[in-house]
Amino acid sequence: MPNPSGVQIVPSLLSADFMNLQRDVRLIEHGELEWLHVDVMDGHFVPNMTVGPPVVRALKRISSLSLDVHLMIDNPAEQLDWYLEAGADLVCVHLESAGSSERTDARAARPARAARAAGFSVSVTELYDPEPLAGLLGRIRAAGRLAGLALNPGTPAELALPFFNQLDLLLVMSVHPGFGGQTFIETALEKLRFVSRTAAAQGLEMMVEVDGGINAATAPQVVAAGANMLVAGNAIFGAANPLAALAGLRAAIDGQ
Ligand code: DX5
Ligand code: ZN
């Protein structure tokens, strides 16, 4: 499949058949694909659980696709090395989780969460400490892998600015992380525009990834807003014919 736009479609295994992961990887790994998205969830940072290092290691063994490992976990500082050792080519950590490996930070975050639940506005800066995050990103690059930073839908993109020169990829979540098959949140478009414009203005070549609710209707919108890595789970693996769905997404992006 030709890829004139240079935009990557990144299939997310979250919607694949977990009893037949190898079969599903084989199904889609033809053509212009370079990346496979692996969602790691711990049941704490998000209310769902998926896979851990053994599955990342097994995927690395059977596929030549590069592994884009999206860590939705509370304590990335403690577990990062597991994923580097398992063979992740890119590790993406959440800005909202990076400081929470410190017990004191987790405790401090509790009142903020309660305030938000009650409808008060709480600054995300109260929930994380930028120093551990910078350290984490540095560890990923020091291991020779690509470093990514993910932002939840409610997190202002401005909070990622201090880390831009440490990033190979910035991930704009366009659904609340945890589950596949959700509806695209439109405010992600403005965030994508801001991130891609700012990176270009700073002469940075970072990849701009979007994750959640990507289908043939939303794909052209996110590309127009500056995204060049489009994660898609349900639109590919939820389709009767994943390869045809992939071709449909590609055609939508290329405007055919
Ligand atoms: C959600 C995950 C996504 C998920 C996207 O928390 O991060 O990668 O697979 O699924 P779709 O494409 O179905 O919205
Ligand atoms: Zn993801």
Side-chain angles (χ1 to χ4, degrees):
M1 238 184 281
N3 179 14
S5 63
V7 172
Q8 292 286 333
I9 300 170
V10 187
S12 165
L13 284 180
L14 187 60
S15 294
D17 178 353
F18 275 45
M19 198 52 75
N20 290 287
L21 282 183
Q22 182 165 2
R23 182 201 66 190
D24 282 3
V25 171
R26 292 277 176 268
L27 254 180
I28 50 92
E29 72 182 347
H30 312 283
E32 97 285 7
L33 286 188
E34 286 181 22
W35 290 95
L36 193 60
H37 187 84
V38 185
D39 288 299
V40 175
M41 304 184 187
D42 65 354
H44 295 277
F45 182 69
V46 288
N48 195 6
M49 292 180 82
T50 52
V51 299
V55 174
V56 173
R57 190 174 300 112
L59 288 166
K60 187 70 192 167
R61 207 172 53 230
I62 63 114
S63 180
S64 56
L65 294 172
S66 297
L67 300 182
D68 166 20
V69 177
H70 178 190
L71 294 184
M72 286 162 276
I73 61 177
D74 254 346
N75 51 348
E78 287 160 34
Q79 300 192 357
L80 174 64
D81 289 345
W82 302 352
Y83 294 94
L84 295 173
E85 281 158 20
D89 295 281
L90 183 148
V91 179
C92 194
V93 294
H94 267 265
L95 183 144
E96 305 83 1
S97 76
S100 59
S101 65
E102 304 290 331
R103 268 179 197 290
T104 48
D105 288 350
R107 271 203 296 272
R110 243 175 257 148
R113 283 199 196 109
R116 271 193 315 198
F120 296 104
S121 167
V122 175
S123 162
V124 183
T125 51
E126 291 169 33
L127 302 183
Y128 86 108
D129 175 357
E131 258 179 53
L133 180 51
L136 264 181
L137 296 168
R139 280 168 59 194
I140 299 170
R141 278 189 163 178
R145 314 301 166 79
L146 300 178
L149 180 63
L151 303 177
N152 277 341
T155 303
E158 287 81 357
L159 291 179
L161 287 174
F163 308 101
F164 264 35
N165 60 2
Q166 284 189 277
L167 297 182
D168 298 295
L169 174 145
L170 194 132
L171 166 54
V172 172
M173 288 303 299
S174 41
V175 297
H176 296 287
F179 300 94
Q182 302 181 71
T183 303
F184 181 80
I185 297 172
E186 299 277 334
T187 50
L189 292 173
E190 188 47 45
K191 210 185 270 188
L192 287 169
R193 281 190 282 269
F194 172 81
V195 166
S196 54
R197 268 197 226 123
T198 308
Q202 296 183 5
L204 299 170
E205 300 236 326
M206 88 175 53
M207 297 179 269
V208 178
E209 186 169 58
V210 61
D211 184 5
I214 299 300
N215 53 39
T218 53
Q221 298 176 37
V222 296
V223 170
N228 54 20
M229 294 275 279
L230 275 53
V231 177
N234 194 52
I236 295 173
F237 291 110
N241 182 340
L243 257 197
L246 205 48
L249 271 179
R250 173 54 63 200
I253 291 167
D254 294 341
Q256 293 157 14

